[in-house]
Amino acid sequence: MVISIWLLWNISKPAKFHSSNYKRFLDGCTSLIARGNEPDLRELADEIFDSIEGIVKECKKYNSGRAHLAKEKGERYEISEYTKYVLTLLDLWSDAKFCQLMVCYVPKTANEIFTQINKQGLYYSGGYALVHQLVRQAFMNKTSILYKEEDYFGLGHFKTFTNTVFGNCELIESNLNPLPAWRGWNDESLGPWMIEKYTEALNVATEAHIAHGWRKGYHHGLSQGFNELIGMGRIVWSQAVKLDKLHDDDEIVDSLPWKNLFAIERGLDKTVGILQEHEENIPEYRLDEATYNKFEDGSIYGVIAYAIFGFFENLSVCRSKDETVRMLAISLWMAVYPVSKGQETKAIVELQKRLNIHLFKKFEENLKELHYPALIRLWINIASLQENIDERRATLVNKKLFELLRKYYEKAVKTDPKKAKDMLPDKIRYDEKKGQLIQTYTFGSTSVLELR
């Protein structure tokens, strides 16, 4: 009877990875993952839960930095066979279907992987492929634990998985950085529900960087995350190109590109709000506008300012629908350049300082070199040609813009009339004889900018 009970207990308990069965454990996982039987994979995902802590601990014995240095010197970097099997096991678990089932049906195991990575600091010792595949599958599948953590409902009150993965600035800035794992710009099924969740993850990461005092220079990992949205050739750019090709103006607001771009703008709007909410906890950094380099800016304002600039710049790719693009940009523009000087908080001023540097450089490229995308076209469409006399920083941007228009626009017309026309919204015409830019508004009133 004792032997029977012992056999039943051993048969029923989950297999645990350890130094005496690591080869058989790896072979068993390989066989199950290769077959791809969903019920078996779900059971496997449940069984590996108890092994994760020990596996992560063993992975710590490998250091990718030291291994790379040894390779450069032509030396051997020695690790045990057991450690090699552990690292191989993590790579094996990065199978797309297995990770999908983990984040959708066995979230406790997916969460435990990230919990142990954070707890033991496994940031430079393997697991890159597994982390990125888990995050990718979490964003791609609407039934994943990430989407179940909906604001103010059920699991959304705790957001355990979201905070474990994106709420640790050390993980975000490490080699495992999970933010770029979701290549949304390369996903044919891209929808606003994905973008809304991704911007939420970015904002969780932004708050983590502020709250936990990440002070090690440029926020490279966080910047990579924002770049997935606003980088050249990424989501904003691709959706603006698609928006530019639409013909039926009545259906534009209901189109997928418009909804995707609106979701991004709304997410960035919330980011600005987070900076304002926590501005007292953000340290000040000296800023020299003449020598400014965003990669040397240790302030989180630098990352967000460049993300906002990238949104405006890539949105400018759409040149055939001025009013539609203006609708997509106006809310974020007003958040950064509010209607009164009294609303320019410390966070807003710091954002403006950095954003203005990027804007002025691009305005000059547009007018002097006639380089696309025509950001100046979007900006004039938002801010108009009116020369205001108030002291808001938005007015300072306009003054610089008008200065550049007077300096370069008529020369641009002579160099390439078509490109010069592309730099202006359709509602603005150039009067060559008088040297004027004339803006006509909806009800017939006009603004005139003297270029001479």
Side-chain angles (χ1 to χ4, degrees), residues 139 151 162-163 166-167 172 179 195-211 222 225-226 229 263-275 277-278 300 304:
F139 278 116
D151 284 342
T162 302
N163 291 323
F166 304 109
I172 298 298
L179 286 172
I195 292 174
E196 286 169 7
K197 186 55 68 171
Y198 191 73
T199 55
E200 180 189 330
L202 284 173
N203 286 331
V204 168
T206 299
E207 286 195 272
H209 277 67
I210 296 171
L222 186 64
F226 279 102
L229 288 177
I264 294 173
E265 190 262 357
R266 192 165 53 181
L268 289 173
D269 210 347
K270 289 179 181 177
T271 308
V272 174
I274 289 171
L275 295 182
E277 182 182 348
H278 299 286
I300 198 168
I304 308 306

Side-chain angles (χ1 to χ4, degrees), residues 139-201:
F139 278 116
M140 288 177 62
N141 292 275
K142 212 168 186 177
T143 57
S144 77
I145 181 62
L146 199 60
Y147 292 97
K148 290 172 184 173
E149 294 182 340
E150 184 180 354
D151 284 342
Y152 311 116
F153 293 95
L155 297 171
H157 290 291
F158 310 102
K159 292 192 180 294
T160 304
F161 184 80
T162 302
N163 291 323
T164 302
V165 179
F166 304 109
N168 182 350
C169 57
E170 288 192 81
L171 176 60
I172 298 298
E173 297 299 328
S174 74
N175 284 359
L176 299 180
N177 182 10
L179 286 172
W182 174 62
R183 302 287 182 180
W185 52 275
N186 203 23
D187 195 332
E188 293 181 0
S189 62
L190 178 67
W193 56 277
M194 285 185 181
I195 292 174
E196 286 169 7
K197 186 55 68 171
Y198 191 73
T199 55
E200 180 189 330

Side-chain angles (χ1 to χ4, degrees), residues 19 28 91 139 178-179 184 225 297 314 350 366 381 385-386 418:
S19 57
D91 287 338
F139 278 116
L179 286 172
D297 187 356
N314 287 295
E350 292 299 322
N366 284 162
N381 203 27
L385 289 179
Q386 294 181 4
K418 182 182 180 303

Side-chain angles (χ1 to χ4, degrees), residues 220-441:
H220 180 71
L222 186 64
S223 179
Q224 278 187 302
F226 279 102
N227 193 51
E228 289 301 311
L229 288 177
I230 54 83
M232 183 57 72
R234 305 299 174 92
I235 296 177
V236 175
W237 182 89
S238 64
Q239 298 306 300
V241 169
K242 291 178 180 178
L243 192 67
D244 201 31
K245 294 177 180 178
L246 296 178
H247 299 295
D248 192 342
D249 290 343
D250 294 333
E251 295 182 1
I252 285 177
V253 177
D254 293 324
S255 69
L256 194 57
W258 195 93
K259 290 178 179 178
N260 288 336
L261 289 167
F262 181 70
I264 294 173
E265 190 262 357
R266 192 165 53 181
L268 289 173
D269 210 347
K270 289 179 181 177
T271 308
V272 174
I274 289 171
L275 295 182
Q276 290 182 282
E277 182 182 348
H278 299 286
E279 62 182 17
E280 296 304 321
N281 298 322
I282 303 174
E284 294 185 13
Y285 285 80
R286 293 183 62 184
L287 180 68
D288 185 351
E289 295 182 13
T291 60
Y292 181 76
N293 183 336
K294 72 184 182 74
F295 295 111
E296 295 175 359
D297 187 356
S299 171
I300 198 168
Y301 293 123
V303 174
I304 308 306
Y306 192 73
I308 293 170
F309 167 74
F311 176 77
F312 288 140
E313 181 186 34
N314 287 295
L315 191 60
S316 303
V317 170
C318 181
R319 300 199 309 272
S320 67
K321 296 173 177 60
D322 287 331
E323 289 309 307
T324 300
V325 173
R326 185 179 187 277
M327 286 170 60
L328 287 167
I330 190 68
S331 178
L332 181 59
W333 180 78
M334 291 184 69
V336 182
Y337 295 98
V339 295
S340 69
K341 188 174 177 61
Q343 293 178 319
E344 292 181 341
T345 62
K346 172 190 169 185
I348 291 299
V349 170
E350 292 299 322
L351 272 179
Q352 290 173 346
K353 287 179 184 177
R354 292 159 173 82
L355 180 56
N356 289 355
I357 294 170
H358 301 305
L359 290 173
F360 296 161
K361 182 179 178 181
K362 191 63 186 181
F363 290 164
E364 189 158 1
E365 283 183 10
N366 284 162
L367 291 167
K368 185 179 179 181
E369 310 295 338
L370 293 175
H371 287 173
Y372 292 98
L375 176 58
I376 196 170
R377 179 186 185 120
L378 170 62
W379 205 263
I380 293 173
N381 203 27
I382 295 173
S384 81
L385 289 179
Q386 294 181 4
E387 296 192 75
N388 299 324
I389 58 173
D390 59 51
E391 297 181 354
R392 291 181 302 136
R393 286 181 175 268
T395 304
L396 297 178
V397 178
N398 286 359
K399 285 180 178 178
K400 180 66 175 180
L401 173 58
F402 299 154
E403 176 189 318
L404 292 171
L405 282 167
R406 291 185 174 108
K407 185 176 181 180
Y408 294 117
Y409 190 74
E410 293 197 286
K411 294 177 184 177
V413 172
K414 293 176 182 177
T415 303
D416 192 326
K418 182 182 180 303
K419 284 186 178 180
K421 189 176 186 304
D422 281 346
M423 297 300 157
L424 302 177
D426 288 336
K427 61 186 177 183
I428 292 181
R429 66 181 179 86
Y430 167 60
D431 188 321
E432 184 177 3
K433 185 177 180 180
K434 296 181 179 180
Q436 296 176 336
L437 293 179
I438 303 168
Q439 181 173 10
T440 304
Y441 298 100

